[in-house]
Each structure stands twice: as C-alpha cells, then as structure tokens.
C-alpha cells in the first residue's frame, strides 16, 4: 500500500516537471527568431526530457493503478492542479490573482468529489 | 485579439484530443483484467489494438497542440483548463453504452465545481500573456 502511494508521488513529481519543461521549450520556441514548426521541437533536448518525464510518470501511474483504487489515485493526482501553477509562478514569474487561486481551489474540490463518487 | 483566440483554439484541441484518448484507452482496456506486459501483448492484433493505437496517437497530437498553446499562454492558468477533460470524458462515457457509466449526483456536482473553477480561470488565460 505504501508502495502505491510512493508511486503516485513519483507520478505527480514527474508529470509536474514535464509540464514545466514543456512550457520552457515552448517559450524558447516562441522567442527564437528562426521560423519554427513542430520539427523544431524534435531537435530540442528539453522537449525529449519533457517527453521522458511524462513517460516515466505514466509508467508509475499504471503501476500505482494496479495497487490503488482508481478514485483514490485520481484524487491524489489532483495535487498537480496546485503544484503546476505554484511552480510556474516561481520559475516563470507568472502571476495569479486571488480569484484565479479560488478557481483552482474549486477545481480541486470538484476533482476530489469525483474521486469520492 | 485573433491571436489569443488561436492560442485558446490550441488549448481546446488539446483538451478534446486528450479526452478522446482517455475514452479510446478505456475502450482498449475494458477487456483486459490487469495491465501486465503479457495482457498488453495479447491485446495486440485484436480490435483493442485499434483503440490502443488511435488512443496513443490522440495523446501525441494532443501534446503537439499543447506545446503550440504554451508558446504564448502562461502555464499557471492554462494547465488547470486540462481538468475540463473530466466532464468531457464523463459525457463521452455516458454516451458510449458499452462503458456502462452511470449517472451520479456527487459526480455531477464535482463536474459543476470544475466548470466553476474553469470559468474563474479561463478569461485570464486568454488575456494575460507571460512577459518573460
């Protein structure tokens, strides 16, 4: 059981890191002067790192799902909706208003309710 | 103004595709009792593999749309919009009889709270571009 929770935590960590890396590489694409299409991404180590993190996260997610109740696992995963904006604020200096945090709060409560239903 | 709508279009495409991917993977997985390497291999070559492959394709295209969206939109307000895929998957599952999804009041309330959260977040997601 503890292994299952550990797997969920690893899933959360890797998917959050993947999102931050995706934002980083997308921002680099937007600010580069070259005319960039999707093929540009394939040449970026950051893109492959983001994809690797996402894949590792998914593998741990499948592993967690074999041991843990789906609804409980999904409720735990809603932590992503708090962590991604939190780290985006720190790393990319994005700003959220209190109304937007309220929106995130409502969303997470909604996700937990779905988990309990 | 038009550019902002294009950005949100990428977000919408990404969310719809990721929801379709979830449903397709669910269709692929519903005949598998447990996910092991052997059961996945067995499923290849059956109709399940069509669901599986198209589901994974949807995931890949969804990620491409997601990157296009993130080129201009801030992650902190765009990422939570992904939760919209829960109501979408739920509606899709209700519409597909073979998934045997049932109506549930608590679940519906959860969906409505998610939509409320999206409404509070979405207007800013379209207007606030990151400066960095």
């Amino acid at each position: 059981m503890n292994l299952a929770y550990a797997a969920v935590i690893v899933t959360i960590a890797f998917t959050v890191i993947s999102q931050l890396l995706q934002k980083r590489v997308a921002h680099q694409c937007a600010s580069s002067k070259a005319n960039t299409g999707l093929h540009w991404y394939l040449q970026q180590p950051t893109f492959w790192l983001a994809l690797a993190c996402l894949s590792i996260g998914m593998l741990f997610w499948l592993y967690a799902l074999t041991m843990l109740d789906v609804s409980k696992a999904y409720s735990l995963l809603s932590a992503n909706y708090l962590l991604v904006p939190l780290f985006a604020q720190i790393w990319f200096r994005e700003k959220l208003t209190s109304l937007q945090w309220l929106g995130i709060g409502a969303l997470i409560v909604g996700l937990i309710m779905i988990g309990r239903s | 103004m038009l550019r902002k709508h294009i950005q949100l279009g990428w977000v919408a495409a990404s969310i719809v595709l990721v929801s379709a991917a979830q449903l397709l993977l669910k269709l692929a997985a519903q005949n598998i009792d447990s996910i092991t390497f052997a059961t996945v291999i067995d499923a290849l070559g059956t109709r399940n593999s069509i669901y599986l492959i198209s589901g994974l394709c949807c995931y890949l295209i969804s990620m491409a749309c997601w990157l296009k969206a993130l080129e201009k939109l801030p992650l902190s307000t765009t990422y939570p919009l992904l939760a919209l895929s829960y109501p979408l998957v739920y509606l899709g599952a209700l519409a597909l009889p073979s998934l045997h999804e049932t109506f549930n009041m608590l679940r519906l309330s959860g969906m409505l709270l998610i939509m409320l959260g999206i409404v509070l977040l979405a207007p800013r997601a379209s207007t606030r571009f990151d400066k960095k």
Side-chain angles (χ1 to χ4, degrees):
Chain A
M1 200 56 165
N2 284 330
L3 256 177
Y5 285 113
V8 174
I9 290 169
V10 173
T11 301
I12 291 171
F14 274 97
T15 47
V16 169
I17 291 168
S18 176
Q19 284 299 326
L20 293 169
L21 291 172
Q22 283 178 60
K23 172 62 193 174
R24 169 125 187 97
V25 72
H27 182 79
Q28 283 171 344
C29 178
S31 47
S32 76
K33 294 208 168 64
N35 187 16
T36 50
L38 279 175
H39 56 88
W40 180 86
Y41 283 99
L42 303 180
Q43 299 158 7
Q44 304 305 314
T46 311
F47 167 77
W48 292 107
L49 199 58
L51 194 62
C53 285
L54 192 64
S55 310
I56 294 168
M58 277 197 168
L59 284 178
F60 274 93
W61 179 237
L62 287 178
Y63 179 65
L65 282 184
T66 59
M67 294 182 288
L68 213 61
D69 197 34
V70 179
S71 57
K72 186 172 270 179
Y74 268 99
S75 298
L76 289 170
L77 206 66
S78 66
N80 274 23
Y81 291 95
L82 185 66
L83 291 174
V84 169
L86 203 64
F87 283 107
Q89 286 211 307
I90 295 168
W91 198 8
F92 305 113
R93 299 200 176 87
E94 297 177 358
K95 292 278 183 290
L96 281 183
T97 65
S98 41
L99 203 62
Q100 288 173 317
W101 282 116
L102 194 69
I104 290 174
L107 208 140
I108 290 173
V109 172
L111 289 174
I112 291 170
M113 282 168 76
I114 293 171
R116 293 283 153 85
S117 63
Chain B
M1 195 60 190
L2 184 67
R3 272 176 69 91
K4 287 169 192 170
H5 283 112
I6 293 171
Q7 303 301 336
L8 278 185
W10 287 120
V11 177
S14 187
I15 294 170
V16 169
L17 280 165
V18 88
S19 308
Q22 296 276 0
L23 285 170
L24 285 163
L25 291 184
K26 174 74 185 169
L27 283 168
Q30 68 175 342
N31 298 324
I32 301 175
D33 292 329
S34 63
I35 297 172
T36 65
F37 192 66
T39 54
V40 171
I41 294 297
D42 281 346
L44 295 176
T46 65
R47 194 166 66 155
N48 279 353
S49 65
I50 299 169
Y51 293 139
L52 184 69
I53 289 163
S54 43
L56 290 176
C57 284
C58 281
Y59 260 128
L60 278 179
I61 305 167
S62 158
M63 190 178 176
C65 295
W66 188 241
L67 286 168
K68 294 307 287 179
L70 286 187
E71 284 178 12
K72 288 282 180 282
L73 295 172
L75 182 63
S76 54
T77 48
T78 313
Y79 181 78
L81 302 186
L82 278 182
L84 200 57
S85 80
Y86 283 82
L88 279 181
V89 169
Y90 184 52
L91 285 178
L94 282 176
L96 291 170
S98 69
L99 291 182
H100 307 296
E101 185 72 48
T102 51
F103 182 80
N104 177 314
M105 204 56 205
L106 185 59
R107 196 167 298 170
L108 184 72
S109 313
M111 302 289 169
L112 290 175
L113 260 181
I114 290 176
M115 312 258 241
L116 174 70
I118 302 275
V119 168
L120 290 175
L121 279 156
R124 285 307 183 106
S126 66
T127 52
R128 188 181 289 236
F129 281 60
D130 55 336
K131 305 279 193 306
K132 194 181 163 192

